[in-house]
Amino acid sequence: MNISISIVIPNYNHAAYLSDSINGVIRQTVTPDEILFIDDASTDNSWDLVKQLPELPNSRHVRNKANLGVVDNLNLGLEKVTSDFVLFAASDDILKPTLIEKSKKILTLYPDAGLCSTLSSVIDRNNRQVDILRTPLVSDFPSYLSTDECRKILYKQGSWFMGNSVIYNVKYLREISGYKKSLGSYSD
């Protein structure tokens, strides 16, 4: 079974980081099946920068007429994607080049997985790695956790998912109506 992965890049006034973020998408060793850039009515030159980029295969650009806020902008991306899985790549994040390739391999083995999670590096203003956001489940090889295993770990240790490095199953995220505004900054 071939699974498809979209990357949604929601943006609001992150022009200073956009080139690095979009280049992280372009440099993927396996091209995402869909790339959706959504500008949330930025007041900086974000939109101008995006329009100057070369056209990427399977990419679309959307500009909101009014600022929707983070949660509604994420939900707009969820509504518009056409793939099986989606990564919401913040406009100030840089993806590792093999993220889509490695994620597709494991998600092809487990197409009903709710999500695929990776480690997340912390970088400085010069894009040098300064730390890794630790999780309780670090493995040297791809692994799968059942729903029950995930539930046990969540109850015992809390969430280990870094929102910027999680690829979600679109079907399941839509079943719960996407992100919840009531959760504020914890919504992702």
Side-chain angles (χ1 to χ4, degrees), residues 78-172:
L78 177 61
E79 176 187 312
K80 291 188 174 292
V81 295
T82 59
S83 63
D84 302 310
F85 291 86
V86 62
L87 167 67
F88 293 95
S91 53
D92 60 349
D93 289 344
I94 301 172
L95 303 180
K96 299 267 183 159
T98 58
L99 177 66
I100 299 300
E101 176 185 359
K102 290 179 177 180
S103 298
K104 271 194 167 193
K105 282 181 182 173
I106 195 160
L107 289 169
T108 297
L109 296 173
Y110 303 101
D112 289 326
L115 57 84
C116 180
S117 174
T118 69
L119 291 176
S120 188
S121 298
V122 178
I123 59 174
D124 65 15
R125 290 187 180 270
N126 298 313
N127 296 338
R128 290 185 305 242
Q129 181 174 315
V130 294
D131 199 4
I132 294 178
L133 298 176
R134 302 283 174 209
T135 70
L137 300 171
V138 177
S139 175
D140 290 333
F141 55 90
S143 57
Y144 178 80
L145 298 173
S146 70
T147 303
D148 287 338
E149 290 169 313
C150 283
R151 190 175 290 119
K152 286 177 189 173
I153 294 167
L154 283 168
Y155 286 136
K156 183 178 178 184
Q157 299 176 349
S159 177
W160 67 89
F161 308 115
M162 305 302 168
N164 60 350
S165 62
V166 175
I167 298 174
Y168 297 96
N169 187 311
V170 170
K171 177 178 76 172
Y172 299 140

Side-chain angles (χ1 to χ4, degrees), residues 6-108:
S6 293
I7 297 179
V8 175
I9 306 169
N11 176 70
Y12 179 70
N13 286 345
H14 276 113
Y17 307 103
L18 273 179
S19 292
D20 289 333
S21 179
I22 291 171
N23 281 327
V25 173
I26 292 169
R27 287 192 293 259
Q28 290 299 298
T29 55
V30 169
T31 304
D33 297 283
E34 177 180 43
I35 303 165
L36 177 59
F37 178 85
I38 305 178
D39 185 74
D40 200 13
S42 291
T43 57
D44 66 2
N45 65 333
S46 295
W47 187 247
D48 294 331
L49 287 173
V50 168
K51 295 309 281 179
Q52 291 174 12
L53 292 170
E55 277 297 312
L56 300 172
N58 303 315
S59 69
R60 294 181 284 153
H61 305 141
V62 174
R63 186 172 196 197
N64 299 335
K65 292 182 189 326
N67 184 276
L68 303 177
V70 174
V71 174
D72 287 341
N73 207 32
L74 292 172
N75 284 331
L76 177 63
L78 177 61
E79 176 187 312
K80 291 188 174 292
V81 295
T82 59
S83 63
D84 302 310
F85 291 86
V86 62
L87 167 67
F88 293 95
S91 53
D92 60 349
D93 289 344
I94 301 172
L95 303 180
K96 299 267 183 159
T98 58
L99 177 66
I100 299 300
E101 176 185 359
K102 290 179 177 180
S103 298
K104 271 194 167 193
K105 282 181 182 173
I106 195 160
L107 289 169
T108 297

